[in-house]
Amino acid sequence: MIMVVINLIKDLWRGLHFVLSIQFWRMALLWTLSVLVSHFQLLKDSLFSHKIVYPRCSSSTFPNTPVCVITGATSGLGFSTACKISKEGFVVVIVGRSEQLLSETIRKIKDLNEDAQLKAFQADLSSVESIIKFKDSLRQWLLDSNLHCSVQILINNAGILATSPRVTAEGYDQMIGTNYVGAFVLTKLLLPLLENSPVSSKIVNVTSFTHRAGRVDEGTVSGKKFLSSKHYPYAQVYEYSKRKRHILDELVQATLYL
């Protein structure tokens, strides 16, 4: 009984410490403001800007079955996107860290769409070695199948929010490594497959409204400066990582003609 009370007090103390932390109030206030700014921008664009229509990578315009690669597809936005695209006639390649979650995701999508064409690959986007293995496995699978050896859509969706500091094998902060470095490396490695597409291919980088709060400089590129902080500024690290992915999206648009 005494231990139960002690553990309860510890949990209450941790909760109180979290609520009173700067990072909590940064998320509560600054992120809420970012959401409001984003919605205002969308409203303004819908009322006063010309609607931009982007050409679709449709399965009807592709001689073979098109392929869409989605990272972080076992839950949330990634899962919803995989469900939707599977109904568009694409072979959907779902990428995730957990084999169990990948299997469950395939089952769930099949329950919603029994005709869905799916392929799962296990990969850790915080590990460059794991990304390279995934690229090799994907290319070999394309060669062994009846599909064209190319990718039509790449959706960089995988991302994490960690409240404690962790370091990747390459020495990056784990949030930076997963949310930005992993997306950058994967995009670079899959470029040959994207460029090999007979039709215009697409790269979609899923970012966040929190990118408005992030500011990138030389000291925040790897996230190493945060690892030595007495109190890990996880909210700021998340903002930096999403800002960098937003910059990646801008670089892709500016330099690639896919």
Side-chain angles (χ1 to χ4, degrees):
M1 183 64 180
I2 296 177
M3 290 303 300
V4 173
V5 174
I6 292 176
N7 289 332
L8 179 60
I9 293 174
K10 287 182 178 179
D11 290 339
L12 289 174
W13 173 251
R14 292 192 194 98
L16 181 62
H17 183 268
F18 175 71
V19 171
L20 295 178
S21 68
I22 295 176
Q23 298 304 307
F24 173 83
W25 287 103
R26 183 182 182 91
M27 292 188 291
L29 298 177
L30 193 57
W31 290 14
T32 300
L33 179 61
S34 296
V35 170
L36 294 175
V37 170
S38 297
H39 281 285
F40 175 76
Q41 185 68 45
L42 288 172
L43 178 61
K44 186 182 72 171
D45 291 344
S46 65
L47 293 176
F48 303 108
S49 301
H50 294 292
K51 185 177 180 180
I52 301 176
V53 179
Y54 295 97
R56 297 187 63 187
C57 182
S58 172
S59 59
S60 62
T61 62
F62 191 64
N64 301 85
T65 306
V67 176
C68 174
V69 177
I70 307 176
T71 65
T74 57
S75 63
L77 185 59
F79 173 76
S80 298
T81 304
C83 291
K84 178 65 176 177
I85 292 183
S86 70
K87 297 178 181 178
E88 296 283 334
F90 283 78
V91 174
V92 181
V93 175
I94 59 174
V95 185
R97 288 178 296 177
S98 168
E99 287 188 0
Q100 180 181 348
L101 290 178
L102 287 169
S103 299
E104 292 176 0
T105 300
I106 289 180
R107 178 182 56 78
K108 290 177 181 178
I109 296 177
K110 283 287 189 180
D111 288 342
L112 297 172
N113 176 21
E114 61 180 13
D115 296 324
Q117 301 180 72
L118 307 167
K119 177 65 177 179
F121 287 94
Q122 183 182 22
D124 182 357
L125 270 294
S126 69
S127 167
V128 173
E129 181 182 1
S130 181
I131 297 172
I132 293 174
K133 288 181 179 178
F134 162 65
K135 182 266 297 184
D136 293 338
S137 298
L138 174 64
R139 187 176 185 279
Q140 190 60 52
W141 172 71
L142 289 170
L143 290 172
D144 293 340
S145 67
N146 293 323
L147 300 170
H148 190 272
C149 192
S150 63
V151 171
Q152 282 60 60
I153 302 178
L154 167 62
I155 302 179
N156 288 312
N157 170 71
I160 62 170
L161 171 58
T163 57
S164 58
R166 297 176 185 175
V167 184
T168 69
E170 290 76 27
Y172 295 105
D173 172 89
Q174 189 179 36
M175 259 200 287
I176 299 291
T178 302
N179 298 355
Y180 168 65
V181 177
F184 176 84
V185 173
L186 181 62
T187 300
K188 184 175 179 61
L189 291 177
L190 293 190
L191 274 181
L193 293 176
L194 288 157
E195 293 174 333
N196 196 40
S197 174
V199 297
S200 177
S201 53
K202 310 294 179 187
I203 299 174
V204 180
N205 289 304
V206 180
T207 180
S208 165
F209 56 83
T210 60
H211 81 270
R212 298 180 183 278
R215 293 293 180 269
V216 178
D217 55 43
E218 186 177 352
T220 62
V221 170
S222 67
K224 292 179 181 178
K225 65 175 290 185
F226 302 117
L227 297 173
S228 59
S229 301
K230 183 177 180 180
H231 300 290
Y232 182 61
Y234 51 87
Q236 290 168 275
V237 178
Y238 184 81
E239 293 163 8
Y240 285 124
S241 70
K242 290 300 182 178
R243 177 57 183 159
K244 289 169 187 173
R245 184 176 288 191
H246 187 72
I247 293 174
L248 171 62
D249 190 52
E250 294 173 346
L251 290 173
V252 168
Q253 292 185 50
T255 61
L256 300 179
Y257 300 90
L258 299 176

